[in-house]
Amino acid sequence: MVADKLFYKTLLKNMFSDPFQIKFWDGTVENYGEGEAKFKIIFNEPIPKGDIINDPSMALGEGYMTNKVDIEGSVQDVIESLYNNKESFLKNGAKYEKLLKKIKSTIKTSKENIQFHYDIGNDFYKLWLDDTMTYSCGYFKNDTDSLTDAQKNKVEHILKKLNLKEGQSLLDIGCGWGELIITAAKKYKVKALGVTLSSEQFERVKERIKEEGLTDLVDVKLSDYRELKNLTFDRVVSVGMIEHVGKENLQEYFQTVNKLLSKNGLSLVHSITGINDGGTNTWIDKYIFPGGYVPAVKELVNYISEQDFELIDVESLRRHYGRTLENWARNFEKALPEVRKSKDETFIRMWRLYLNACAASFNCVNISIHQILFGKGVNNDLPWTRDYMYR
């Protein structure tokens, strides 16, 4: 135990950019940094040294989930303090490290991976998402925007970028609970199709289409986008979906979009992105998004170029996703009495860590998010400037 404490003291000494306290399993407390501690990390029991050295994300993530490690203060503050200290031993280990899959994901495994995350209950997501049930980065045009405002802003921002015209066709790959396709049909009178691999999302989107009286304009399929045959669309969009396809499937994604996109059509991909390299995180891969991969911006641009698409516009929404996640984390904490009716404490701590860690990652530029607009063939119908995206 003495040796373990010495290891922890050495490891933690220069880990964070803010003053902090450590409380060990024997009750002793150590103070680090100058000034009042911003947070306290509590080790209720030691985590094997080898586990931390070999995979800090997994060791500390599981330690927090099972209450071997606890935090007094803000979980987000702890992780931001870690990321803000560029000399920290865990800086590289706790971020999105490379974990490249050698086995190409099949349609079957893709369905299983999506259902693992999204089919844990619409009622659960309803507790902490906004009124539109949108589970992706919002777009905060004003400091006073609510989360619902931001999600509606985001959908409208994407639809404006696509320069939709009445009568056009739109495909939404990974349509979630249907906000984008329903808004596109109502506002722009386009014929919209959404595809999802989540049976819970599929059932709710079908209900929404009927509720909105849009059965003549909107449809949804419980299907992988690669299963769509003999169909083309004027516009193809995916929001927060390409992160699920896996590194080995990125080229296939853009090849498939090329087949699905009509001549002179436009496509937009909205994706979390790595700063320099793509990768994933072992803890996230096991507990949150199995089979996922966050591509680097340069990877996405390269695959877009390979298909001879015209790269039209690239926009970062990094700060917007940080704020979105902070809203989700607050909503999640407020909803805990209801969450506890169906989920245990390990699940709750897992989701708390996930939401707060992601907020910290975006705020500290550990990862980013981009919207990339590209076209197939020659499209000279777009306005000459970007003003049309912001009217």
Side-chain angles (χ1 to χ4, degrees):
M1 287 297 188
V2 173
D4 284 339
K5 279 183 65 176
L6 181 60
F7 165 77
Y8 276 90
K9 287 179 180 180
T10 304
L11 176 74
L12 300 172
K13 183 178 180 181
N14 298 311
M15 182 180 292
F16 301 102
S17 61
D18 299 287
F20 64 100
Q21 277 189 339
I22 297 288
K23 183 178 179 181
F24 292 101
W25 47 89
D26 63 0
T28 59
V29 175
E30 294 282 340
N31 291 282
Y32 295 90
E34 297 182 3
E36 184 179 353
K38 190 170 184 178
F39 48 81
K40 180 190 285 188
I41 298 175
I42 303 165
F43 284 91
N44 293 315
E45 59 181 276
I47 298 171
K49 292 182 291 185
D51 291 351
I52 295 178
I53 292 170
N54 291 333
D55 193 339
S57 295
M58 186 67 73
L60 296 176
E62 290 183 337
Y64 181 79
M65 284 170 57
T66 56
N67 202 30
K68 293 178 181 178
V69 181
D70 205 0
I71 291 169
E72 283 187 12
S74 164
V75 175
Q76 181 181 329
D77 284 349
V78 172
I79 299 172
E80 287 191 5
S81 187
L82 167 68
Y83 289 150
N84 286 332
N85 182 7
K86 296 186 175 14
E87 304 304 316
S88 170
F89 163 74
L90 293 182
K91 171 80 163 83
N92 293 323
K95 70 176 184 177
Y96 274 68
E97 67 264 0
K98 294 179 182 178
L99 182 72
L100 308 185
K101 309 290 184 187
K102 296 191 180 292
I103 300 174
K104 192 170 183 178
S105 174
T106 64
I107 290 175
K108 180 178 182 293
T109 57
S110 292
K111 288 178 180 178
E112 290 170 350
N113 290 338
I114 291 299
Q115 289 165 1
F116 178 91
H117 186 83
Y118 293 97
D119 284 352
I120 57 178
N122 287 346
D123 290 342
F124 168 69
Y125 286 105
K126 198 179 298 182
L127 291 173
W128 52 274
L129 292 179
D130 69 297
D131 294 341
T132 70
M133 289 283 285
T134 302
Y135 188 26
S136 54
C137 174
Y139 184 59
F140 293 86
K141 296 170 72 172
N142 304 289
D143 284 340
T144 56
D145 282 348
S146 67
L147 183 57
T148 297
D149 293 333
Q151 295 296 7
K152 290 182 176 180
N153 292 343
K154 184 268 302 296
V155 168
E156 182 58 31
H157 192 44
I158 289 171
L159 297 180
K160 283 183 178 179
K161 285 185 176 184
L162 290 170
N163 198 39
L164 292 170
K165 304 291 189 234
E166 183 173 345
Q168 289 181 330
S169 56
L170 168 70
L171 171 66
D172 185 0
I173 301 174
C175 65
W177 285 278
E179 182 68 15
L180 188 145
I181 53 176
I182 286 171
T183 302
K186 288 171 68 175
K187 186 159 188 177
Y188 293 92
K189 301 296 185 288
V190 298
K191 193 169 183 62
L193 172 66
V195 293
T196 178
L197 293 175
S198 164
S199 56
E200 297 237 359
Q201 290 181 343
F202 172 69
E203 293 299 332
R204 178 57 190 141
V205 176
K206 284 200 302 183
E207 291 173 358
R208 289 193 66 187
I209 292 169
K210 290 180 181 178
E211 290 167 3
E212 297 281 356
L214 293 171
T215 53
D216 57 331
L217 286 177
V218 185
D219 194 12
V220 61
K221 293 182 182 295
L222 185 62
S223 171
D224 188 284
Y225 67 103
R226 293 167 290 186
E227 296 176 307
L228 297 177
K229 306 296 181 185
N230 303 315
L231 292 172
T232 57
F233 301 85
D234 299 304
R235 303 290 187 263
V236 176
V237 63
S238 70
V239 181
M241 175 273 172
I242 201 169
E243 303 94 311
H244 293 291
V245 307
K247 179 179 177 63
E248 301 302 319
N249 293 325
L250 284 172
Q251 183 178 51
E252 183 183 29
Y253 171 85
F254 288 102
Q255 289 172 340
T256 305
V257 168
N258 200 351
K259 294 175 184 176
L260 292 168
L261 197 58
S262 301
K263 184 180 179 181
N264 303 332
L266 296 175
S267 183
L268 182 143
V269 60
H270 170 119
S271 174
I272 299 172
T273 49
I275 304 302
N276 294 311
D277 298 300
T280 188
N281 174 284
T282 51
W283 182 81
I284 294 243
D285 185 73
K286 180 176 180 179
Y287 290 103
I288 307 297
F289 292 120
Y293 175 80
V294 173
V297 178
K298 61 187 177 185
E299 286 183 279
L300 295 176
V301 171
N302 183 59
Y303 285 122
I304 287 168
S305 299
E306 280 186 358
Q307 296 301 312
D308 291 326
F309 289 131
E310 179 190 10
L311 184 63
I312 298 169
D313 188 80
V314 180
E315 181 179 13
S316 169
L317 298 182
R318 177 186 62 81
R319 294 171 67 192
H320 295 268
Y321 214 169
R323 182 171 290 186
T324 301
L325 280 149
E326 289 170 354
N327 274 273
W328 287 344
R330 282 195 296 269
N331 290 348
F332 181 77
E333 296 298 331
K334 290 177 184 176
L336 283 185
E338 288 298 315
V339 175
R340 285 194 171 101
K341 292 178 180 179
S342 59
K343 310 297 181 186
D344 63 19
E345 287 302 311
T346 299
F347 178 94
I348 288 168
R349 291 173 71 87
M350 177 180 72
W351 273 81
R352 178 183 293 131
L353 179 60
Y354 157 60
L355 294 172
N356 282 276
C358 288
S361 289
F362 286 105
N363 289 345
C364 297
V365 203
N366 195 42
I367 51 176
S368 190
I369 184 164
H370 286 84
Q371 288 183 355
I372 304 178
L373 180 69
F374 53 96
K376 179 177 179 178
V378 179
N379 190 321
N380 291 330
D381 295 329
L382 284 173
W384 286 81
T385 72
R386 301 174 82 249
D387 291 348
Y388 78 100
M389 300 180 185
Y390 298 101
R391 289 195 191 107

